Amino acid sequence: MSGVGGAAYVGAAAALALALALAMSAALAWRWGGRRRRLQQVGSVAALFLYPVKSCGGSAVRRAELTALGLRSGDLRDRFWLVIKEDGHMVTGRQEPRLVLISVSCDNGYLTLNAPEMKELRVPVELSRKNQVHNCRIFGFDVQGRDCGDEAAEWITTFLTTEPYRLVHFEPSMMPRNSKDTMPCFRPTDKIAYPDCSPVMIISEASLEDLNTRLEKKVKIQNFRPNILVTGCSAFEEDSWDEICIGSVEMKGTVGCPRCILTTIDPETGIMDRKEPLETLKSYRLCDLSEQYLYKSSPLFGWYFGVDKTGTIQVGDPVYKIIK
C-alpha cells in the first residue's frame, strides 16, 4: 500500500472509530434520559425474594419483574395479600410471630398456603367480584383488600388460635398507598400495596456477615426480609447507593430500613426472642442525632429504594451505581 493510500486508509479507519464512539456515547446518553452518566459495578444479585402474604414466609425466585409496586413473579406479587382482624386492622408477625411459619407458593392460578399440622390451603388469585372489599388499616392509613373467603379465614384463624382473622388481596384496580405517608423521604411517585413503606428493600451479604460476627447465635437473611440480596460489595455499602441499575430497571436509594422486634422472630420456629439481633444492631447501627426525627431509636439495616424504571431482574445480574 502506498504512503498516500496508507494514510488515507488510516484516516478513514480513525474517522470510523470516532463515529462509532460518538454513536455509542449518544446511545448511552439516550438510554439514561439524555444525561451522560456512567455506570460503576458495585456488586451482583445473589438472591431475589417475594413475600406474597405480609409477614408470612418468602419465596425465592431466579427471575422477577420489577413493577411500580414491587417485585412480581407470575401471579405472585410482593405483599399483595394481608391478614387482617375483623375490624380491618392489619396483622403482622409483630402481633402473631407464627405467621412466618406459613409458606406461600402459586400454582395454576391458585395461591397455596402450607403450615405445620395444617392441610394445604388453595385460594384463587382471581377472586369473585361478590367477595367483600374491606377497608384495611396499615399504620393508620386506609387501603382496600378483597376478602379471600371463609375457608381462608378459618384456615388462618385455626393456625394462629388467638382470634378471628381474615385474608385479603390487593387488586390492581385498587388505590395503592403512598410511601411518603409513612416516611416523608419518599417521592409522590413511590407507591405500595401492603409493604411497610417501600416497593423494594436491598441488603448486602456483607452487611449480614458483619452483623453475624457480633452475634453469639447467627441470624439468616430471612430475619430481615429483603427483596434483593447483593453480593460483591462491602458491608453497608448499599446505604450509599443513590441511583442504581440492575438488569433493565433503575431504582432510587431513598432511606434506611428502621428495624423492630420482627427481626427477633426465628424464621424456623416462629418464636420471638424480643432481644437479638435487635439489641446488637442498636449497639452500632443507630442513626445520627440529626436523623432521629425520622428513625427515632430504631437501628438501621437494609436500604429502601423507589422505582424509577420498571423491567426485569434476575439472579446474577450486575448491580451498577449510576454516577452523574
Side-chain angles (χ1 to χ4, degrees):
M1 184 179 290
S2 68
V4 174
Y9 175 80
V10 171
L16 179 60
L18 179 60
L20 286 172
L22 290 172
M24 290 176 67
S25 176
L28 187 63
W30 174 85
R31 180 182 177 188
W32 300 113
R35 291 178 292 165
R36 292 190 178 182
R37 298 182 283 180
R38 64 185 179 90
L39 305 181
Q40 175 187 339
Q41 185 171 352
V42 289
S44 60
V45 176
L48 296 169
F49 301 101
L50 292 86
Y51 308 88
V53 182
K54 187 175 180 68
S55 280
C56 292
S59 297
V61 297
R62 298 288 303 176
R63 179 185 177 95
E65 175 191 357
L66 180 62
T67 74
L69 299 181
L71 291 184
R72 175 177 188 166
S73 178
D75 287 326
L76 286 182
R77 300 197 63 165
D78 187 56
R79 297 170 174 97
F80 259 50
W81 285 264
L82 175 71
V83 177
I84 61 169
K85 296 183 178 182
E86 291 193 320
D87 65 3
H89 281 82
M90 73 169 180
V91 178
T92 73
R94 301 170 184 91
Q95 301 85 35
E96 294 284 0
R98 293 179 75 243
L99 278 172
V100 304
L101 300 180
I102 299 175
S103 62
V104 185
S105 59
C106 195
D107 180 48
N108 293 325
Y110 282 84
L111 187 75
T112 304
L113 275 62
N114 283 280
E117 300 181 8
M118 296 290 293
K119 292 183 178 180
E120 184 176 271
L121 173 70
R122 287 168 59 84
V123 179
V125 173
E126 294 291 333
L127 297 167
S128 169
R129 310 308 283 180
K130 295 179 181 178
N131 288 25
Q132 180 183 352
V133 173
H134 296 272
N135 290 317
C136 310
R137 297 283 284 178
I138 297 181
F139 298 118
F141 295 95
D142 292 330
V143 63
Q144 291 184 320
R146 189 176 296 278
D147 196 284
C148 292
D150 290 341
E151 183 183 359
E154 291 169 7
W155 192 94
I156 295 284
T157 300
T158 298
F159 178 64
L160 296 177
T161 69
T162 50
E163 63 178 281
Y165 294 126
R166 302 201 72 85
L167 182 67
V168 298
H169 179 220
F170 182 86
E171 298 178 338
S173 61
M174 294 175 176
M175 185 71 69
R177 292 160 50 230
N178 295 309
S179 294
K180 68 182 181 66
D181 288 342
T182 304
M183 296 191 79
C185 296
F186 284 97
R187 304 162 298 182
T189 54
D190 297 323
K191 307 288 185 179
I192 46 174
Y194 301 143
D196 283 1
C197 63
S198 175
V200 180
M201 197 249 287
I202 295 178
I203 294 178
S204 69
E205 285 185 337
S207 299
L208 180 64
E209 290 166 2
D210 180 274
L211 171 61
N212 275 328
T213 64
R214 305 164 191 263
L215 295 170
E216 287 187 16
K217 181 182 178 182
K218 297 185 186 301
V219 292
K220 299 180 178 181
I221 196 60
Q222 285 78 11
N223 287 72
F224 303 102
R225 307 172 72 80
N227 297 112
I228 303 173
L229 180 65
V230 175
T231 188
C233 64
S234 59
F236 308 109
E237 188 179 336
E238 61 270 29
D239 299 4
S240 67
W241 298 339
D242 183 43
E243 293 179 280
I244 61 172
C245 166
I246 308 175
S248 60
V249 313
E250 297 173 38
M251 289 178 279
K252 170 72 173 176
T254 303
V255 69
C257 178
R259 292 303 181 167
C260 67
I261 57 171
L262 191 66
T263 61
T264 71
I265 301 173
D266 187 324
E268 295 183 356
T269 65
I271 296 173
M272 182 185 287
D273 176 80
R274 290 189 172 273
K275 291 183 179 180
E276 293 295 357
L278 198 58
E279 291 301 317
T280 296
L281 283 172
K282 286 181 178 179
S283 72
Y284 77 114
R285 288 293 296 168
L286 292 176
C287 67
D288 295 332
L289 289 175
S290 63
E291 296 177 314
Q292 282 188 351
Y293 76 97
L294 187 62
Y295 302 118
K296 300 181 175 59
S297 60
S298 298
L300 307 181
F301 195 79
W303 209 256
Y304 285 136
F305 285 74
V307 179
D308 282 340
K309 182 182 177 184
T310 60
T312 302
I313 301 176
Q314 57 187 359
V315 173
D317 276 347
V319 178
Y320 295 104
K321 181 166 67 173
I322 301 173
I323 301 175
K324 299 178 181 179

PDB file of all heavy atoms in Angstrom, residues 179-186 197 254-259 287-300 303-304:
ATOM      1  N   SER A 179     -45.931   5.858  49.732  1.00  0.00           N
ATOM      2  CA  SER A 179     -44.805   5.578  50.620  1.00  0.00           C
ATOM      3  C   SER A 179     -44.487   6.757  51.535  1.00  0.00           C
ATOM      4  O   SER A 179     -44.139   6.594  52.704  1.00  0.00           O
ATOM      5  CB  SER A 179     -43.564   5.222  49.792  1.00  0.00           C
ATOM      6  OG  SER A 179     -43.744   4.004  49.098  1.00  0.00           O
ATOM      7  N   LYS A 180     -44.619   7.968  51.010  1.00  0.00           N
ATOM      8  CA  LYS A 180     -44.238   9.155  51.776  1.00  0.00           C
ATOM      9  C   LYS A 180     -45.167   9.420  52.951  1.00  0.00           C
ATOM     10  O   LYS A 180     -44.826  10.194  53.853  1.00  0.00           O
ATOM     11  CB  LYS A 180     -44.165  10.381  50.866  1.00  0.00           C
ATOM     12  CG  LYS A 180     -45.488  10.850  50.306  1.00  0.00           C
ATOM     13  CD  LYS A 180     -45.301  12.042  49.388  1.00  0.00           C
ATOM     14  CE  LYS A 180     -46.633  12.549  48.837  1.00  0.00           C
ATOM     15  NZ  LYS A 180     -47.494  13.114  49.888  1.00  0.00           N
ATOM     16  N   ASP A 181     -46.347   8.779  52.965  1.00  0.00           N
ATOM     17  CA  ASP A 181     -47.228   8.943  54.124  1.00  0.00           C
ATOM     18  C   ASP A 181     -46.616   8.305  55.362  1.00  0.00           C
ATOM     19  O   ASP A 181     -46.870   8.738  56.492  1.00  0.00           O
ATOM     20  CB  ASP A 181     -48.598   8.312  53.855  1.00  0.00           C
ATOM     21  CG  ASP A 181     -49.413   9.119  52.851  1.00  0.00           C
ATOM     22  OD1 ASP A 181     -49.088  10.302  52.639  1.00  0.00           O
ATOM     23  OD2 ASP A 181     -50.367   8.564  52.279  1.00  0.00           O
ATOM     24  N   THR A 182     -45.808   7.254  55.161  1.00  0.00           N
ATOM     25  CA  THR A 182     -45.158   6.569  56.276  1.00  0.00           C
ATOM     26  C   THR A 182     -43.779   7.146  56.556  1.00  0.00           C
ATOM     27  O   THR A 182     -43.399   7.335  57.719  1.00  0.00           O
ATOM     28  CB  THR A 182     -45.032   5.059  55.985  1.00  0.00           C
ATOM     29  OG1 THR A 182     -46.328   4.531  55.695  1.00  0.00           O
ATOM     30  CG2 THR A 182     -44.464   4.319  57.185  1.00  0.00           C
ATOM     31  N   MET A 183     -43.014   7.430  55.482  1.00  0.00           N
ATOM     32  CA  MET A 183     -41.691   8.041  55.647  1.00  0.00           C
ATOM     33  C   MET A 183     -41.573   9.172  54.629  1.00  0.00           C
ATOM     34  O   MET A 183     -41.611   8.948  53.418  1.00  0.00           O
ATOM     35  CB  MET A 183     -40.577   7.011  55.458  1.00  0.00           C
ATOM     36  CG  MET A 183     -40.599   5.904  56.502  1.00  0.00           C
ATOM     37  SD  MET A 183     -39.115   4.855  56.494  1.00  0.00           S
ATOM     38  CE  MET A 183     -37.952   5.900  57.386  1.00  0.00           C
ATOM     39  N   PRO A 184     -41.427  10.404  55.091  1.00  0.00           N
ATOM     40  CA  PRO A 184     -41.508  11.568  54.199  1.00  0.00           C
ATOM     41  C   PRO A 184     -40.397  11.684  53.167  1.00  0.00           C
ATOM     42  O   PRO A 184     -40.496  12.505  52.254  1.00  0.00           O
ATOM     43  CB  PRO A 184     -41.473  12.758  55.172  1.00  0.00           C
ATOM     44  CG  PRO A 184     -40.846  12.227  56.420  1.00  0.00           C
ATOM     45  CD  PRO A 184     -41.252  10.793  56.503  1.00  0.00           C
ATOM     46  N   CYS A 185     -39.326  10.885  53.280  1.00  0.00           N
ATOM     47  CA  CYS A 185     -38.238  10.955  52.303  1.00  0.00           C
ATOM     48  C   CYS A 185     -38.643  10.435  50.932  1.00  0.00           C
ATOM     49  O   CYS A 185     -37.980  10.731  49.928  1.00  0.00           O
ATOM     50  CB  CYS A 185     -37.035  10.165  52.792  1.00  0.00           C
ATOM     51  SG  CYS A 185     -36.286  10.818  54.300  1.00  0.00           S
ATOM     52  N   PHE A 186     -39.700   9.630  50.871  1.00  0.00           N
ATOM     53  CA  PHE A 186     -40.121   9.086  49.582  1.00  0.00           C
ATOM     54  C   PHE A 186     -40.763  10.163  48.720  1.00  0.00           C
ATOM     55  O   PHE A 186     -41.177  11.217  49.202  1.00  0.00           O
ATOM     56  CB  PHE A 186     -41.106   7.928  49.794  1.00  0.00           C
ATOM     57  CG  PHE A 186     -40.454   6.654  50.246  1.00  0.00           C
ATOM     58  CD1 PHE A 186     -40.423   6.310  51.580  1.00  0.00           C
ATOM     59  CD2 PHE A 186     -39.850   5.807  49.327  1.00  0.00           C
ATOM     60  CE1 PHE A 186     -39.811   5.142  52.007  1.00  0.00           C
ATOM     61  CE2 PHE A 186     -39.232   4.637  49.739  1.00  0.00           C
ATOM     62  CZ  PHE A 186     -39.213   4.306  51.083  1.00  0.00           C
ATOM     63  N   CYS A 197     -43.447   0.434  53.861  1.00  0.00           N
ATOM     64  CA  CYS A 197     -43.344   1.780  53.292  1.00  0.00           C
ATOM     65  C   CYS A 197     -42.655   1.852  51.937  1.00  0.00           C
ATOM     66  O   CYS A 197     -42.641   2.923  51.336  1.00  0.00           O
ATOM     67  CB  CYS A 197     -42.623   2.715  54.258  1.00  0.00           C
ATOM     68  SG  CYS A 197     -40.927   2.260  54.593  1.00  0.00           S
ATOM     69  N   THR A 254     -33.412   5.671  48.838  1.00  0.00           N
ATOM     70  CA  THR A 254     -34.216   6.703  49.486  1.00  0.00           C
ATOM     71  C   THR A 254     -33.944   6.854  50.970  1.00  0.00           C
ATOM     72  O   THR A 254     -33.663   7.945  51.451  1.00  0.00           O
ATOM     73  CB  THR A 254     -35.714   6.409  49.271  1.00  0.00           C
ATOM     74  OG1 THR A 254     -35.973   6.338  47.862  1.00  0.00           O
ATOM     75  CG2 THR A 254     -36.583   7.508  49.865  1.00  0.00           C
ATOM     76  N   VAL A 255     -34.030   5.748  51.721  1.00  0.00           N
ATOM     77  CA  VAL A 255     -33.962   5.876  53.172  1.00  0.00           C
ATOM     78  C   VAL A 255     -33.622   4.510  53.763  1.00  0.00           C
ATOM     79  O   VAL A 255     -33.883   3.468  53.155  1.00  0.00           O
ATOM     80  CB  VAL A 255     -35.314   6.414  53.708  1.00  0.00           C
ATOM     81  CG1 VAL A 255     -36.420   5.381  53.551  1.00  0.00           C
ATOM     82  CG2 VAL A 255     -35.228   6.891  55.140  1.00  0.00           C
ATOM     83  N   GLY A 256     -33.033   4.506  54.951  1.00  0.00           N
ATOM     84  CA  GLY A 256     -32.700   3.262  55.621  1.00  0.00           C
ATOM     85  C   GLY A 256     -33.938   2.568  56.163  1.00  0.00           C
ATOM     86  O   GLY A 256     -34.986   3.183  56.355  1.00  0.00           O
ATOM     87  N   CYS A 257     -33.789   1.267  56.419  1.00  0.00           N
ATOM     88  CA  CYS A 257     -34.898   0.484  56.968  1.00  0.00           C
ATOM     89  C   CYS A 257     -34.755   0.420  58.485  1.00  0.00           C
ATOM     90  O   CYS A 257     -33.857  -0.244  58.998  1.00  0.00           O
ATOM     91  CB  CYS A 257     -34.905  -0.930  56.378  1.00  0.00           C
ATOM     92  SG  CYS A 257     -36.211  -1.971  57.046  1.00  0.00           S
ATOM     93  N   PRO A 258     -35.640   1.114  59.220  1.00  0.00           N
ATOM     94  CA  PRO A 258     -35.587   1.062  60.683  1.00  0.00           C
ATOM     95  C   PRO A 258     -36.132  -0.270  61.191  1.00  0.00           C
ATOM     96  O   PRO A 258     -37.216  -0.697  60.798  1.00  0.00           O
ATOM     97  CB  PRO A 258     -36.473   2.233  61.118  1.00  0.00           C
ATOM     98  CG  PRO A 258     -37.391   2.477  59.968  1.00  0.00           C
ATOM     99  CD  PRO A 258     -36.693   2.007  58.726  1.00  0.00           C
ATOM    100  N   ARG A 259     -35.375  -0.937  62.057  1.00  0.00           N
ATOM    101  CA  ARG A 259     -35.714  -2.302  62.455  1.00  0.00           C
ATOM    102  C   ARG A 259     -36.470  -2.372  63.771  1.00  0.00           C
ATOM    103  O   ARG A 259     -36.290  -1.543  64.667  1.00  0.00           O
ATOM    104  CB  ARG A 259     -34.437  -3.134  62.530  1.00  0.00           C
ATOM    105  CG  ARG A 259     -33.810  -3.362  61.168  1.00  0.00           C
ATOM    106  CD  ARG A 259     -34.788  -4.033  60.231  1.00  0.00           C
ATOM    107  NE  ARG A 259     -34.228  -4.300  58.908  1.00  0.00           N
ATOM    108  CZ  ARG A 259     -34.798  -5.089  58.013  1.00  0.00           C
ATOM    109  NH1 ARG A 259     -35.943  -5.685  58.285  1.00  0.00           N
ATOM    110  NH2 ARG A 259     -34.247  -5.261  56.833  1.00  0.00           N
ATOM    111  N   CYS A 287     -28.906   5.832  64.020  1.00  0.00           N
ATOM    112  CA  CYS A 287     -28.698   6.972  63.121  1.00  0.00           C
ATOM    113  C   CYS A 287     -28.016   8.120  63.853  1.00  0.00           C
ATOM    114  O   CYS A 287     -27.877   8.117  65.085  1.00  0.00           O
ATOM    115  CB  CYS A 287     -30.039   7.441  62.549  1.00  0.00           C
ATOM    116  SG  CYS A 287     -31.144   8.158  63.798  1.00  0.00           S
ATOM    117  N   ASP A 288     -27.610   9.121  63.077  1.00  0.00           N
ATOM    118  CA  ASP A 288     -27.079  10.348  63.659  1.00  0.00           C
ATOM    119  C   ASP A 288     -28.203  11.107  64.363  1.00  0.00           C
ATOM    120  O   ASP A 288     -29.387  10.925  64.065  1.00  0.00           O
ATOM    121  CB  ASP A 288     -26.481  11.245  62.570  1.00  0.00           C
ATOM    122  CG  ASP A 288     -25.257  10.626  61.906  1.00  0.00           C
ATOM    123  OD1 ASP A 288     -24.571   9.833  62.585  1.00  0.00           O
ATOM    124  OD2 ASP A 288     -25.007  10.931  60.726  1.00  0.00           O
ATOM    125  N   LEU A 289     -27.816  11.979  65.294  1.00  0.00           N
ATOM    126  CA  LEU A 289     -28.814  12.777  66.021  1.00  0.00           C
ATOM    127  C   LEU A 289     -29.697  13.576  65.076  1.00  0.00           C
ATOM    128  O   LEU A 289     -30.886  13.758  65.333  1.00  0.00           O
ATOM    129  CB  LEU A 289     -28.103  13.718  67.001  1.00  0.00           C
ATOM    130  CG  LEU A 289     -27.455  13.062  68.229  1.00  0.00           C
ATOM    131  CD1 LEU A 289     -26.688  14.107  69.028  1.00  0.00           C
ATOM    132  CD2 LEU A 289     -28.523  12.398  69.096  1.00  0.00           C
ATOM    133  N   SER A 290     -29.109  14.033  63.970  1.00  0.00           N
ATOM    134  CA  SER A 290     -29.867  14.861  63.022  1.00  0.00           C
ATOM    135  C   SER A 290     -30.973  14.097  62.314  1.00  0.00           C
ATOM    136  O   SER A 290     -31.853  14.691  61.695  1.00  0.00           O
ATOM    137  CB  SER A 290     -28.913  15.462  61.978  1.00  0.00           C
ATOM    138  OG  SER A 290     -28.306  14.415  61.216  1.00  0.00           O
ATOM    139  N   GLU A 291     -30.916  12.745  62.390  1.00  0.00           N
ATOM    140  CA  GLU A 291     -31.919  11.929  61.697  1.00  0.00           C
ATOM    141  C   GLU A 291     -32.891  11.238  62.650  1.00  0.00           C
ATOM    142  O   GLU A 291     -33.720  10.435  62.216  1.00  0.00           O
ATOM    143  CB  GLU A 291     -31.214  10.869  60.847  1.00  0.00           C
ATOM    144  CG  GLU A 291     -30.366  11.442  59.726  1.00  0.00           C
ATOM    145  CD  GLU A 291     -29.633  10.360  58.952  1.00  0.00           C
ATOM    146  OE1 GLU A 291     -29.039   9.464  59.589  1.00  0.00           O
ATOM    147  OE2 GLU A 291     -29.659  10.407  57.708  1.00  0.00           O
ATOM    148  N   GLN A 292     -32.804  11.553  63.940  1.00  0.00           N
ATOM    149  CA  GLN A 292     -33.668  10.888  64.911  1.00  0.00           C
ATOM    150  C   GLN A 292     -35.149  11.204  64.694  1.00  0.00           C
ATOM    151  O   GLN A 292     -36.006  10.407  65.067  1.00  0.00           O
ATOM    152  CB  GLN A 292     -33.249  11.250  66.332  1.00  0.00           C
ATOM    153  CG  GLN A 292     -32.027  10.485  66.813  1.00  0.00           C
ATOM    154  CD  GLN A 292     -31.734  10.714  68.274  1.00  0.00           C
ATOM    155  OE1 GLN A 292     -32.330  11.572  68.919  1.00  0.00           O
ATOM    156  NE2 GLN A 292     -30.786   9.954  68.813  1.00  0.00           N
ATOM    157  N   TYR A 293     -35.433  12.354  64.090  1.00  0.00           N
ATOM    158  CA  TYR A 293     -36.824  12.676  63.793  1.00  0.00           C
ATOM    159  C   TYR A 293     -37.430  11.665  62.829  1.00  0.00           C
ATOM    160  O   TYR A 293     -38.651  11.437  62.823  1.00  0.00           O
ATOM    161  CB  TYR A 293     -36.922  14.086  63.182  1.00  0.00           C
ATOM    162  CG  TYR A 293     -36.488  14.153  61.729  1.00  0.00           C
ATOM    163  CD1 TYR A 293     -37.427  14.100  60.697  1.00  0.00           C
ATOM    164  CD2 TYR A 293     -35.144  14.229  61.379  1.00  0.00           C
ATOM    165  CE1 TYR A 293     -37.029  14.146  59.369  1.00  0.00           C
ATOM    166  CE2 TYR A 293     -34.739  14.272  60.070  1.00  0.00           C
ATOM    167  CZ  TYR A 293     -35.686  14.234  59.063  1.00  0.00           C
ATOM    168  OH  TYR A 293     -35.284  14.258  57.734  1.00  0.00           O
ATOM    169  N   LEU A 294     -36.565  11.016  62.037  1.00  0.00           N
ATOM    170  CA  LEU A 294     -37.017  10.070  61.028  1.00  0.00           C
ATOM    171  C   LEU A 294     -37.009   8.641  61.555  1.00  0.00           C
ATOM    172  O   LEU A 294     -37.972   7.886  61.377  1.00  0.00           O
ATOM    173  CB  LEU A 294     -36.108  10.185  59.795  1.00  0.00           C
ATOM    174  CG  LEU A 294     -36.485   9.396  58.547  1.00  0.00           C
ATOM    175  CD1 LEU A 294     -37.840   9.843  58.005  1.00  0.00           C
ATOM    176  CD2 LEU A 294     -35.412   9.586  57.479  1.00  0.00           C
ATOM    177  N   TYR A 295     -35.920   8.241  62.211  1.00  0.00           N
ATOM    178  CA  TYR A 295     -35.740   6.848  62.631  1.00  0.00           C
ATOM    179  C   TYR A 295     -36.004   6.612  64.115  1.00  0.00           C
ATOM    180  O   TYR A 295     -36.092   5.457  64.543  1.00  0.00           O
ATOM    181  CB  TYR A 295     -34.315   6.389  62.315  1.00  0.00           C
ATOM    182  CG  TYR A 295     -33.936   6.487  60.857  1.00  0.00           C
ATOM    183  CD1 TYR A 295     -32.900   7.318  60.422  1.00  0.00           C
ATOM    184  CD2 TYR A 295     -34.597   5.727  59.890  1.00  0.00           C
ATOM    185  CE1 TYR A 295     -32.538   7.386  59.085  1.00  0.00           C
ATOM    186  CE2 TYR A 295     -34.247   5.791  58.559  1.00  0.00           C
ATOM    187  CZ  TYR A 295     -33.206   6.629  58.158  1.00  0.00           C
ATOM    188  OH  TYR A 295     -32.854   6.689  56.830  1.00  0.00           O
ATOM    189  N   LYS A 296     -36.039   7.697  64.896  1.00  0.00           N
ATOM    190  CA  LYS A 296     -36.201   7.595  66.352  1.00  0.00           C
ATOM    191  C   LYS A 296     -35.094   6.704  66.937  1.00  0.00           C
ATOM    192  O   LYS A 296     -33.933   6.922  66.672  1.00  0.00           O
ATOM    193  CB  LYS A 296     -37.603   7.118  66.691  1.00  0.00           C
ATOM    194  CG  LYS A 296     -38.688   8.073  66.176  1.00  0.00           C
ATOM    195  CD  LYS A 296     -40.060   7.610  66.526  1.00  0.00           C
ATOM    196  CE  LYS A 296     -41.113   8.642  66.122  1.00  0.00           C
ATOM    197  NZ  LYS A 296     -41.114   8.963  64.692  1.00  0.00           N
ATOM    198  N   SER A 297     -35.456   5.675  67.702  1.00  0.00           N
ATOM    199  CA  SER A 297     -34.427   4.848  68.349  1.00  0.00           C
ATOM    200  C   SER A 297     -34.216   3.519  67.630  1.00  0.00           C
ATOM    201  O   SER A 297     -33.571   2.619  68.167  1.00  0.00           O
ATOM    202  CB  SER A 297     -34.807   4.579  69.804  1.00  0.00           C
ATOM    203  OG  SER A 297     -36.051   3.882  69.875  1.00  0.00           O
ATOM    204  N   SER A 298     -34.725   3.398  66.419  1.00  0.00           N
ATOM    205  CA  SER A 298     -34.620   2.137  65.678  1.00  0.00           C
ATOM    206  C   SER A 298     -33.280   2.038  64.953  1.00  0.00           C
ATOM    207  O   SER A 298     -32.868   2.993  64.284  1.00  0.00           O
ATOM    208  CB  SER A 298     -35.748   2.023  64.655  1.00  0.00           C
ATOM    209  OG  SER A 298     -37.008   2.021  65.284  1.00  0.00           O
ATOM    210  N   PRO A 299     -32.599   0.900  65.050  1.00  0.00           N
ATOM    211  CA  PRO A 299     -31.365   0.729  64.278  1.00  0.00           C
ATOM    212  C   PRO A 299     -31.674   0.478  62.807  1.00  0.00           C
ATOM    213  O   PRO A 299     -32.772   0.009  62.468  1.00  0.00           O
ATOM    214  CB  PRO A 299     -30.735  -0.511  64.923  1.00  0.00           C
ATOM    215  CG  PRO A 299     -31.901  -1.306  65.420  1.00  0.00           C
ATOM    216  CD  PRO A 299     -32.926  -0.290  65.865  1.00  0.00           C
ATOM    217  N   LEU A 300     -30.718   0.775  61.950  1.00  0.00           N
ATOM    218  CA  LEU A 300     -30.919   0.649  60.500  1.00  0.00           C
ATOM    219  C   LEU A 300     -30.220  -0.596  59.975  1.00  0.00           C
ATOM    220  O   LEU A 300     -29.073  -0.872  60.327  1.00  0.00           O
ATOM    221  CB  LEU A 300     -30.386   1.891  59.787  1.00  0.00           C
ATOM    222  CG  LEU A 300     -30.897   3.239  60.296  1.00  0.00           C
ATOM    223  CD1 LEU A 300     -30.307   4.379  59.468  1.00  0.00           C
ATOM    224  CD2 LEU A 300     -32.417   3.287  60.284  1.00  0.00           C
ATOM    225  N   TRP A 303     -31.674  -1.049  52.973  1.00  0.00           N
ATOM    226  CA  TRP A 303     -31.976   0.268  52.411  1.00  0.00           C
ATOM    227  C   TRP A 303     -33.192   0.170  51.497  1.00  0.00           C
ATOM    228  O   TRP A 303     -33.333  -0.768  50.716  1.00  0.00           O
ATOM    229  CB  TRP A 303     -30.771   0.800  51.637  1.00  0.00           C
ATOM    230  CG  TRP A 303     -30.702   2.302  51.630  1.00  0.00           C
ATOM    231  CD1 TRP A 303     -31.025   3.135  50.618  1.00  0.00           C
ATOM    232  CD2 TRP A 303     -30.288   3.138  52.725  1.00  0.00           C
ATOM    233  NE1 TRP A 303     -30.834   4.451  50.987  1.00  0.00           N
ATOM    234  CE2 TRP A 303     -30.378   4.478  52.281  1.00  0.00           C
ATOM    235  CE3 TRP A 303     -29.858   2.894  54.024  1.00  0.00           C
ATOM    236  CZ2 TRP A 303     -30.049   5.564  53.093  1.00  0.00           C
ATOM    237  CZ3 TRP A 303     -29.522   3.976  54.841  1.00  0.00           C
ATOM    238  CH2 TRP A 303     -29.623   5.289  54.363  1.00  0.00           C
ATOM    239  N   TYR A 304     -34.069   1.155  51.630  1.00  0.00           N
ATOM    240  CA  TYR A 304     -35.277   1.210  50.818  1.00  0.00           C
ATOM    241  C   TYR A 304     -35.012   1.953  49.505  1.00  0.00           C
ATOM    242  O   TYR A 304     -34.306   2.981  49.492  1.00  0.00           O
ATOM    243  CB  TYR A 304     -36.387   1.939  51.558  1.00  0.00           C
ATOM    244  CG  TYR A 304     -37.050   1.154  52.661  1.00  0.00           C
ATOM    245  CD1 TYR A 304     -37.327   1.749  53.891  1.00  0.00           C
ATOM    246  CD2 TYR A 304     -37.443  -0.172  52.470  1.00  0.00           C
ATOM    247  CE1 TYR A 304     -37.971   1.044  54.901  1.00  0.00           C
ATOM    248  CE2 TYR A 304     -38.081  -0.879  53.471  1.00  0.00           C
ATOM    249  CZ  TYR A 304     -38.337  -0.269  54.685  1.00  0.00           C
ATOM    250  OH  TYR A 304     -38.977  -0.964  55.678  1.00  0.00           O
TER     251      TYR A 304
END
